[in-house]
Amino acid sequence: MNISAAAQAAGLPVKTVRYYADIGLVDPVDRTPSGYRRYDQSAVRRLTFVRRAREFGFPIDACRDLLGLYQDQNRSSADVKRLAAQRLEEIREKQRELQSLHDDLAHLVHACSGDQRPDCPILNYLG
Amino acid sequence: MNISAAAQAAGLPVKTVRYYADIGLVDPVDRTPSGYRRYDQSAVRRLTFVRRAREFGFPIDACRDLLGLYQDQNRSSADVKRLAAQRLEEIREKQRELQSLHDDLAHLVHACSGDQRPDCPILNYLG
DNA sequence: ATAAGGTTTCCAGTAACTGGAAAGTCAAGG
DNA sequence: CCTTGACTTTCCAGTTACTGGAAACCTTAT
């Protein structure tokens, strides 16, 4: 599997996949004799995981930690649980915030969708 | 209300609030005679809105558009609805992705929380 | 009046890409 | 076999959205 197939499968730009290889975040499984990076399903799963984590604001180093959970054979259960639980709480907070953003926008759509009256309730609320 | 009170109320760093003023995204209502930026509740609401939108990956220009919905007196209902509905769909997609990320992590927590066996099912899944 | 802390502008640095150039590689058609 | 077009490589520069730090000014509380 060449880089563009892997990138497509993971939903990332080719450039980004190459960048992740450069910084050692998600390495290709190996190289072809001519130097092309080769990826497999496992690498694609890691790339997909990183994409999702990045989209929700986890920095690269946090992604590295999370991937490390999968790959470190010598990890302690306590460490794993603490790190993952902490990230889970962050995700729940993000879900709550995303819901607020959703509600704000839905309110806007509802309140402004009919006419051009200058006394739009949203304008009163926000402006 | 000085900049740090506004920043705190909106959940943003002072630096960022100043940056948003610099690029004309959220202006202070005015300045004190000595040049201090002054903010009010309305500005804080806009800052909060921007913070949430930014946290979920909307670029600055999209935030500008969204704020424009509130402030443009000459907007057309159709434009408002189209733009907001499009963003709403993006938010729903983000919610789905966030749920996937959450489930992945929860799975990890559940599967890896007890022991150090080398045949952790998550390692099989992702490694 | 002076010290502590908040604010200003300006400028440099960072994180995480992103675009583009120059050159090597591969697969298909002639 | 040769070429053409798409894909890949490395390298380096540029971008977005901050973020940190310096130097100087302002405010408030002792």
Side-chain angles (χ1 to χ4, degrees), chain A:
Chain A
M1 195 176 201
N2 278 350
I3 194 167
S4 62
Q8 172 141 18
L12 285 169
V14 170
K15 276 274 186 184
T16 302
V17 176
R18 207 173 277 126
Y19 173 72
Y20 288 165
D22 286 350
I23 64 173
L25 180 62
V26 179
D27 290 320
V29 287
D30 67 346
R31 299 274 186 139
T32 66
S34 59
Y36 283 22
R37 292 171 182 84
R38 266 202 306 228
Y39 292 86
D40 61 3
Q41 281 309 313
S42 152
V44 167
R45 279 192 292 267
R46 280 190 292 276
L47 287 169
T48 304
F49 187 87
V50 170
R51 173 180 58 79
R52 287 205 295 253
R54 287 290 304 128
E55 279 172 2
F56 294 101
F58 291 102
I60 293 286
D61 282 353
C63 296
R64 220 182 277 275
D65 289 348
L66 289 166
L67 286 179
L69 296 184
Y70 299 122
Q71 277 152 351
D72 179 7
Q73 294 289 119
N74 292 32
R75 73 206 185 285
S76 98
S77 294
D79 287 351
V80 170
K81 226 184 165 173
R82 188 175 31 71
L83 180 54
Q86 178 185 327
R87 298 297 177 203
L88 264 183
E89 186 40 53
E90 290 174 24
I91 288 173
R92 287 194 203 98
E93 175 60 25
K94 280 172 187 297
Q95 283 179 320
R96 286 190 288 272
E97 290 267 324
L98 190 51
Q99 192 61 49
S100 296
L101 181 63
H102 176 276
D103 292 350
D104 276 9
L105 260 185
H107 183 199
L108 175 69
V109 169
H110 179 71
C112 286
S113 64
D115 54 47
Q116 280 102 328
R117 278 175 305 172
D119 62 336
C120 170
I122 286 290
L123 289 173
N124 292 339
Y125 171 63
L126 264 194

Side-chain angles (χ1 to χ4, degrees), chain A residues 45 52 70 104 123 125, chain B residues 45 52 70 104 123 125-126:
Chain A
R45 279 192 292 267
R52 287 205 295 253
Y70 299 122
D104 276 9
L123 289 173
Y125 171 63
Chain B
R45 278 190 294 267
R52 287 204 295 253
Y70 299 121
D104 276 10
L123 288 174
Y125 171 62
L126 265 194

